[in-house]
Amino acid sequence: MPLKAFRGPKVWLWRWRRNPLKRRADVVEAWVLLGAWLVTVVTGVVAGLVASRSVEHGLARERVEWHPVVAQVAQKAPGSATSGSGVGQVWTKVRWTLTDGSSHTGQARVAPGSKAGTPITVWTDPRGHLVTRPVTAAQAHRRANLIGGLAGVSTAAVPFITGLAVRGRLERHRMDHWDAEWARFGPQWGRTTG
């Protein structure tokens, strides 16, 4: 409350108004703040849109390029189907053949106790490597929006923090200048005539 008494009522855009007491430092600070806000908004929006589109494009490419393939369990999976262990799936070695005739092996999740030769569906990339099932278009859209939002906010933080740092430096410079002026003229106010 005492600080407000010294500053007076808040006047919007006071640095842009005509005022004979306005200093060059006030004008510089006004332009720095305006520039920092503009750069913050523009970089945040652009970075968010670019990241979102990039993620969505990558996930759409995965949906096109990744294909399901029928694989066979290469060895009996650990556990048993009748055990009440509560484990949904276990990792085991599987084998599959691509349309070009090349044979591949890898680790996939299967039901506990699956016998060798049991068919399962796995997803592969164009080189035949195992991948996870691609996300749906709706999931890709949500993921792209989330990552775009995080990228936008993170990128916008850089010019925002830089603007705050520059403003703080200008404020310190202004206070140092004020202290120097006060040191020069302050003692004259204390003199009495007599």
Side-chain angles (χ1 to χ4, degrees), residues 67-107:
H67 297 289
V69 175
V70 175
Q72 288 81 32
V73 175
Q75 60 193 23
K76 183 178 184 302
S80 67
T82 59
S83 69
S85 64
V87 176
Q89 292 188 320
V90 294
W91 289 98
T92 193
K93 187 176 181 180
V94 297
R95 185 175 291 117
W96 67 96
T97 304
L98 297 179
T99 55
D100 64 2
S102 61
S103 180
H104 296 271
T105 59
Q107 294 283 324

Side-chain angles (χ1 to χ4, degrees), residues 33-51 148 151-160:
L33 287 175
L34 178 64
W37 277 108
L38 286 175
V39 171
T40 297
V41 170
V42 169
T43 57
V45 169
V46 169
L49 288 174
V50 167
V153 168
S154 300
T155 304
V158 173
F160 180 74

